[in-house]
Amino acid sequence: MSFSIPKWCFIFIVIALLIPILSIESIVPWTIFIFFSSKFIKISKNTYLSTKLKIAKCSGYCTLAIALGIFFNFLVLKGTTYFMNNIL
C-alpha cells in the first residue's frame, strides 16, 4: 500500500497550515487545519474527478478554511475586547 498524493495538494495543505500558525493560540484553528487537510487529501485521491475539478474544489475548500480562520480570530479579538472593557 503506497501513500502518495499529488504535489499540488501540498500547496493547499501548507496554506491551511498557516491558519493555526498565524492565529490566536487555540484548538479551533488546528481543528480547521486538520479537517480541511483531510478534505484536500480525500479530493486529491478521488479517481473519478478530473485534475481541474480537483484543484477547483480544493481552492474552494481552502478559501473556506481561510475565511473560517479569519472569522475565528475576529470573534476572539472582539470577544476579548468586549470582556476587558465591559466585564472587568
Side-chain angles (χ1 to χ4, degrees), residues 48-62:
Y48 298 109
L49 299 174
S50 67
T51 304
K52 282 186 177 183
L53 187 58
K54 290 177 187 179
I55 292 174
K57 287 181 100 173
C58 285
S59 296
Y61 279 128
C62 191

Side-chain angles (χ1 to χ4, degrees), residues 5-73:
I5 58 175
K7 294 187 188 309
W8 55 262
C9 186
F10 287 111
I11 295 170
F12 293 111
I13 293 172
V14 168
I15 292 171
L17 181 61
L18 292 176
I19 295 168
I21 291 173
L22 299 176
S23 290
I24 297 168
E25 192 61 37
S26 173
I27 192 71
V28 174
W30 287 103
T31 306
I32 292 170
F33 163 69
I34 291 169
F35 176 76
F36 283 101
S37 292
S38 67
K39 285 286 208 188
F40 300 147
I41 293 169
K42 184 178 177 183
I43 289 170
S44 70
K45 295 184 122 224
N46 189 340
T47 57
Y48 298 109
L49 299 174
S50 67
T51 304
K52 282 186 177 183
L53 187 58
K54 290 177 187 179
I55 292 174
K57 287 181 100 173
C58 285
S59 296
Y61 279 128
C62 191
T63 303
L64 181 61
I66 292 169
L68 286 173
I70 291 171
F71 182 67
F72 169 76
N73 284 311

